[in-house]
Amino acid sequence: MGQATARGPYAKTPARRAEIVRAARDSFAENGYAKASLRDIAERSGITHAGLLHHFRNKDELLAAVLAERDSEEWQHGAAQVDSLDRLAPYLGELIRHHQKAPELMRLWIELAAAASRTDHPAHTYFVERYERGRTQFAEGFLDEAARGRLREGVSPESAAALFHAVLNGLQLQWVLDQDLDIIGPLNDFVRLLLDRDDRDDR
């Protein structure tokens, strides 16, 4: 009996949740968040609407899971690609160009991040922890640069990490509003401003 229950449509297995998240990602990308329906996502996942609701309470919670999965993929890829802050700007340029191929997901991310500022929002804890983790990891990288004398004088690693996230998110918001805007150039310029290097020392 226990085994049959574990195999049922309501079992909260990682594999089942992963199937739902993949289906939701496809549905959001194809239809947009507003037009994507939980029934369509359930059908893509091969479960009933009630079965989907057993895993995710609503569409906002499901969207948060979709974006969290994308986040995890990008953190893993970034960790493999960026072994120093010299690689940071080129990698982020590649990442932004990849995001720009799916502007709907960029737009959804921005909208959800704003909505999740409410403490009762299903994605609130996720976003709080995500930004805290990001600031911590970037601060560690900027601390190494400060020890090498490359971080701009007077800027703490913690401030540099917070500023970096603010600039990155703000530029993506501007691009969503005006998709003809170049945001990779300004991002590269900002990284150069943070890393106060004097190329004359290399001559």
Side-chain angles (χ1 to χ4, degrees):
M1 180 69 68
Q3 187 177 15
T5 301
R7 290 178 176 175
Y10 300 121
K12 288 189 175 182
T13 63
R16 174 61 77 188
R17 287 178 64 89
E19 289 173 6
I20 296 171
V21 170
R22 282 194 297 270
R25 188 171 183 168
D26 291 342
S27 184
F28 292 154
E30 291 175 19
N31 305 313
Y33 180 69
K35 294 182 179 179
S37 72
L38 291 179
R39 293 188 184 280
D40 172 61
I41 294 168
E43 184 176 345
R44 291 170 185 251
S45 306
I47 61 175
T48 64
H49 180 238
L52 186 149
L53 291 176
H54 190 70
H55 294 276
F56 298 96
R57 291 175 294 174
N58 52 46
K59 198 159 61 167
D60 276 354
E61 191 173 276
L62 187 49
L63 176 58
V66 168
L67 296 176
E69 180 186 65
R70 189 183 71 159
D71 236 15
S72 178
E73 292 172 355
E74 290 177 356
W75 276 110
Q76 293 175 16
H77 183 64
Q81 295 289 321
V82 181
D83 54 5
S84 72
L85 287 182
D86 287 330
R87 276 288 305 150
L88 181 60
Y91 168 72
L92 287 172
E94 296 168 8
L95 185 62
I96 288 174
R97 280 188 285 268
H98 177 68
H99 284 179
Q100 289 173 334
K101 295 177 181 178
E104 183 63 28
L105 287 179
M106 285 182 70
R107 186 175 298 106
L108 292 176
W109 175 271
I110 293 167
E111 292 174 355
L112 184 62
S117 62
R118 300 193 310 270
T119 56
D120 61 344
H121 193 280
H124 177 77
T125 299
Y126 163 71
F127 274 98
V128 169
E129 293 177 350
R130 177 192 184 275
Y131 279 108
E132 182 178 355
R133 181 176 68 249
R135 286 192 301 269
T136 298
Q137 291 183 341
F138 275 97
E140 290 173 356
F142 284 123
L143 182 62
D144 291 340
E145 296 300 312
R148 297 165 60 189
R150 298 179 66 198
L151 184 63
R152 180 168 291 278
E153 186 177 355
V155 177
S156 71
E158 293 76 17
S159 290
L163 285 167
F164 182 81
H165 277 82
V167 169
L168 181 60
N169 293 337
L171 285 172
Q172 291 187 89
L173 170 59
Q174 290 185 61
W175 183 84
V176 168
L177 293 169
D178 178 5
Q179 296 184 14
D180 291 328
L181 181 68
D182 170 33
I183 61 174
I184 295 176
L187 179 63
N188 290 336
D189 289 342
F190 181 70
V191 172
R192 282 193 290 269
L193 287 172
L194 282 179
L195 302 181
D196 191 16
R197 292 171 290 180
D198 189 348
D199 294 335
R200 291 174 298 178
D201 293 342
D202 298 329
R203 294 175 184 175

